[in-house]
Amino acid sequence: MKLAYWMYAGPAHIGTLRIASSFNNVHAIMHAPLGDDYFNVMRSMLERDRHFTPVTASIVDRHVLARGSQEKVINNIIKKDKEEKPDLVVLTPTCTSSILQEDLQNFVQRASIETTSDVILADVNHYRVNELQASDRTLAQIVAFYINKINNKQKSDLKKTVKPSVNIIGMLSLGFHHQHDLVDLKRMFNDLDIEINQVIPDNASIQDLYNLPKAWFNCIPYREAGLSTAQLLADKFNMPYVDIAPMGLSNIKTFVCRIQSILAMLGCHRNYEKYVELQTKYMSQAAWFSRSIDCQNLTDKTAIVFGDATHAAAMTKILVREMGVHVLWSGTYCINDRQWFTSEVENLCSKVLITDDHNIVGDMIANSEPNAIFGTQMERHIGKRLNIPCGVISSPVHIQNFPLSYKPFLGYEGTNQIADLIYNSFTLGMEDHLLDLFGGHDTIDAVTNTLSSDNLVTWSPEALQELTKIPGFVRGKVKRNTEKFAIAQGYHVISLEVMYEAKENVKT
Amino acid sequence: MTLAITNSSIFECETGNYHTFCPISCVSWLYQKIEDSFFLVIGTKTCGYFLQNAMGVMIFAEPRYAMAELEEGDISAQLNDYEELKRLCLQIKKDRKPGVIFWIGTCTTEIIKMDLEGIGPQLEADIQIPIIVARANGLDYAFTQGEDTVLAAMAHRCPNTIQCSKQSKYNTKRLIIFGSLPETVVKQLNHELQQQNIHVTGWLPCSRYSELPVIQSGDYVIGVNPFLSRTATTLMRRRKAKLISAPFPIGPDGTKAWIYKICNVFNITPKGLEQREKTIWNNLEQYLQLIQGKSVFFMGDNLLEISLARFLIRCGMIVYEIGIPYMDKRYQSAEIQLLTDTCKKMKVNMPKIVEKPDNYNQLDRIRDLQPDLVITGMAHANPLEARGINTKWSVEFTFAQIHGFTNAQDILELITKPLRRNTSIHNGDNIYIKS
Ligand code: SF4
C-alpha cells in the first residue's frame, strides 16, 4: 500500500480510452463498476466535445460478482454493435476486471461471432502499466490487428505514394495541445513538400490503417504514444521513423535533418537547409528574441522543469540552449523512459529527477528556489504556494490548458508560443518582486473597508462570523446587498435573521 | 399505503447503464464538513484518478484526504493488510493529527474481501484514533449514497447517554437531524425550527467528530436529504430512534411540509408557516415567470430528483421523466405523496419515475420529446447543448445550498441559468443557436 494524494499519469484504462475515442467510429466498452466512466466527463468538459464520447460501461455489480459477467459483457457488445454500428469495439479492462480474472478474451471471441464490427480486448494490465504506456500499447495493438489482416497479395499491391509522404502517429484526445500541434505539423510538412499520408488515431477511420504502409516514413511527435506503433511498422514494412519532437528551434532543425536523410536513403534528395534558415529567421521570433535585450535579462535566471518525457526534455533544451536560462534540475514522471530522458538532459542541467511522487517534486522546488517553474498543473500549484511563477508545459492539465485560440508547442509557431510563455513567467516574477520592493501591493484591509456602503448599520458578531463563511469573491456583494436591505427596512443591527431575510428578498 | 405508492405503473426500472459519480466522491464534501476528520480511500489508481479530477482545485488545497493505493502485493495477499494500514494511519496521525480517520472501502477491497470492519477496531485500539469504516463503492451504490454509507457508520458512534443531564427548555422530546449540510444551512434550518419553539438537539454529522450528538432510544430523527435511507434504517433499528417521515426541505413547499411534520409529531401548532411559505413564493415570482409551462427531463444521477421534480412542478413546470439511481419507496414515501398531491393540485400528469435508467434510451426519448431543459451529468451536457437542447449540470444541485426557505431562490437560479443564458444569446445576433 502506498499513501498517495495525487498522480501524474492516470490508470491504464484511461490510456486505452483516449486511443479508442480518438478514432472515428470506434467504441470502447469498459468492464467496470458504476462510476468509472468519468472519462466521458473529462472528454466532454476539457475538450468541450460536441459529440457523445463513444465509451460505455458494461457494469460490474453484485450480480456480476456472484455469477460472472460473461452474458452481460457479450450482450453489451452485441447491443452496442446494433445501436451504433461501430467499425471496432474495444473491450477495456479496469482495475476491477484485473482482479476478477474472468476470461475476457473468450467473451470477445464469443461476441464477435454475432457482431458486424470487429471486437478486440485491450491488452493492458492495470497493475503493470499506466495511462501513457497503455495508450502506446493500445494504439500498436489496434494497428497490428488491422495490419495483420493485410494478406500477402495485398501486401505486394501496397505501393508507396509517388511523392514523399508521412504518417503522423500519436495525436490523441485529451493530449496536451495536440490539436494545435497537429495544425503546425501539417503546415511544416506542407512546407517541406511532404504529403500527409495518415494521421492516427485522431479522427482516423479503421479503414485508413490499411493505408499506413503507403507512407515513406513515420513521424512520432510524442514519445508517450506512438513509439510501439512505429517500431511495429518498422519491423513489418521496413518503414523508417522520426521520433524527435519538433519543439524548439534546435529540435526542429534535428527533426528536419533527420527527415532529409531518411528521404535521401529512400532515393529522394532534398536540401532543407535554406528552409530551416528562413523559418528560423523570419517565421519564428524565438531566435531573434534570444538575441534581444529582453532575453539578455534572462541570463542566469534559474528554472526547474518537470513533465512528461517529451515536453520536459524539449523544454530543458530550449531554456538552456536557446534562452540561456540556468536550469537547476529537470525531471519527468515517465519512469519507464528514464534512460532516454536522462541521456537527453544530463548535459544541460546539474541534476535529473525521475519520480512520480509530487511530494518529492515539491520539496525539490522549495529547496532549489528557482525564479520560474515549467511543469504540470501540480507544479503550478506548488509555485502558487511558494510564490514562484509557473508556465504549464505538460499534462496533467486543467481546462485552461485546452485554449480556444491557436497555441501549438510544436513547429515554428510553437517556438513563438514557448518564447512568450517563458518570457511571461519570468517577467511576472520580476514585476512582483519589484512591486514588493517599492511598497508592495494594495493591502487587503483597504479592499475590505471600501466594501461597506456606509456605517449606518452594524453587524452582530454572529452575523459577521457568518459573513466570513461566504466565499471571498461574492462576500463583498452579499455584504453590500444585506446592508442596503437592512437600511431600507430600518434595521440598525444586522443579525443572523436579518441576513437570512435579506437573502430571501434580494434578487441577485 | 397510499394510492401513488401502490400504483406501480409510474415506476419503471431500466438497465442501470447510466452515468453517475462514484460514491467515494462524498469524501470531497464530508472532509470539509467534519473538520477534524481524515478520509483514507483504500483503493486503486482508478479511484484516485477520479477523485483527483472530480475534486478539481480542491485537491491542491492540502485536503484531509488520501488514497491508500493498493499494489499488486496487496491484491495477491503477499502483504499484510493490518500492517500496511497501520503504517499508513500512523503516518497520517503524525502528519495531520486528525480526530477521526474514515476508511472508505472501494470495489477492490470488496472483491478481494479485505476485512476492513474486522481490522478497524483492532487498529483503533492500537493507535488510539477512532476509525470508522464505510463501504462506499461503485459495485453497490451511486454518488450521494456514499454519504449515506458514511453517516450510517457514524450513527453507530453517536454516544447514547447524556453526560450532564441538561434538559431542553423548549421541549422534552429530542430531535436529531441527519444529513450533511453546510454550516450556514444548518443554522438556517435550526432557526426555522426555533421559530416554532422546536429546539434541535443535534445534527449527524456535525462539524467535529468529538461533538457527535447523543442518540437515545426513543429520540426523534429526521432526514434532510432523500438519499439517506441506510442512515435512517440504522438509526431506527440500531439506535431505536423514531423516524419522522416527511418530504425533504427542498423548495418552500418541501420546507413547509418538513417543518409541519415535525410540529405535528411534537404536538405544536405551527405559527405563521403558511404565511412564510407564501412570502417566499412571492419573492420567487420573477423566476417563476421564466419557467412556467416549460418542460424538464431528469436523467437521474444523485437521488435528489424526486424532491426537485416535485418543487419544479409546483413552480409550474412540466416534468417528462424523473430518472433516479435508486428509489427507496419507504424512506421517500412522504416525498412521493407530496409529489402526487402536487401533480393533482397543478393538474398535470404524474411523471414517470425511472429507476436505474439507461442513458442511451433516455437520449432517444429526449430526442423525441425535445424538453426545454435536461438535468444531466457533465458527460452528456455539452453534446446535448450542441444538439440545441438546454442542460443544467446535475452535480451543482449537490454542492449548491438548496435547503430551507432561504435557499429556494438558489435552486431557481440554477434552473433558470441556461434559459436566461439563451435569452441573452438570442437577443444578440443569433449567430449560433438555431431558432
Ligand atoms: S467505482 Fe469502484 S473502482 Fe471505480 S472509483 Fe469507485 S470505488 Fe474506485
Side-chain angles (χ1 to χ4, degrees), chain B residues 160-178:
Chain B
N160 51 17
T161 43
I162 306 171
Q163 308 290 338
C164 50
S165 64
K166 192 182 83 188
Q167 277 300 334
S168 158
K169 58 180 171 176
Y170 295 97
N171 45 273
T172 46
K173 292 185 180 124
R174 295 164 37 88
L175 175 69
I176 291 108
I177 305 180
F178 57 96

Side-chain angles (χ1 to χ4, degrees), chain B residues 234-253:
Chain B
T234 310
L235 289 169
M236 285 191 296
R237 300 234 176 103
R238 299 301 182 82
R239 308 307 305 256
K240 305 277 178 267
K242 292 187 204 143
L243 178 72
I244 303 176
S245 172
F248 301 99
I250 293 171
D253 48 343

Side-chain angles (χ1 to χ4, degrees), chain B residues 61 64 93 172 186 273 397 432:
Chain B
R64 291 184 315 280
K93 183 181 176 186
T172 46
V186 166
L273 200 54
F397 293 101
Y432 183 68

Side-chain angles (χ1 to χ4, degrees), chain A residues 105-177:
Chain A
Q105 188 60 55
N106 177 292
F107 304 168
V108 161
Q109 264 147 17
R110 299 256 320 265
S112 62
I113 299 171
E114 287 186 49
T115 56
T116 6
S117 51
D118 297 316
V119 189
I120 61 174
L121 170 68
D123 178 21
V124 292
N125 180 322
H126 175 91
Y127 292 96
R128 306 278 163 86
V129 293
N130 67 21
E131 168 188 357
L132 302 176
Q133 295 162 294
S135 63
D136 189 55
R137 277 184 185 216
T138 305
L139 183 57
Q141 196 191 348
I142 294 177
V143 170
F145 182 81
Y146 286 98
I147 291 293
N148 287 339
K149 282 190 172 187
I150 305 178
N151 57 37
N152 283 336
K153 182 180 169 305
Q154 284 165 318
K155 226 178 216 171
S156 54
D157 287 347
L158 272 175
K159 295 212 178 63
K160 294 286 168 204
T161 55
V162 181
K163 281 175 70 181
S165 63
V166 61
N167 296 320
I168 302 177
I169 299 179
M171 313 307 290
L172 325 186
S173 77
L174 291 174
F176 182 72
H177 292 244

Side-chain angles (χ1 to χ4, degrees), chain A residues 1-2 4 7 37 44-45 50 57 62 84 95 99 128 378 385 466 497 503-504 507, chain B residues 17 52 62 67 69 72 74-75 84 87 110 140 184 187 191 276 286 378 382 387 406-407:
Chain A
M1 263 179 228
K2 181 166 102 185
M7 68 184 93
D37 62 352
S44 171
M45 262 175 86
R50 296 172 200 215
R62 284 283 156 191
E84 311 256 343
C95 59
I99 43 175
R128 306 278 163 86
M378 191 52 176
R385 243 180 279 159
E466 199 59 32
E497 286 79 13
K503 185 169 181 217
E504 286 154 20
K507 313 241 164 7
Chain B
N17 252 313
Q52 165 173 329
E62 299 235 354
M67 292 293 309
E69 196 184 309
E72 216 165 0
D74 299 304
I75 306 301
E84 290 295 300
R87 184 168 57 80
E110 285 298 308
D140 301 304
T184 318
K187 277 201 189 145
H191 175 73
R276 180 106 173 88
Q286 200 187 8
M378 207 48 169
N382 269 338
R387 282 153 189 75
T406 315
N407 299 309

Side-chain angles (χ1 to χ4, degrees), chain A residues 33-36 95-96, chain B residues 22-24 44 46-47 50 106-108 136-138:
Chain A
L34 187 70
D36 278 357
C95 59
T96 306
Chain B
C22 168
I24 59 174
T44 61
T46 306
C47 318
F50 163 66
T106 63
C107 300
T108 308
N137 60 68

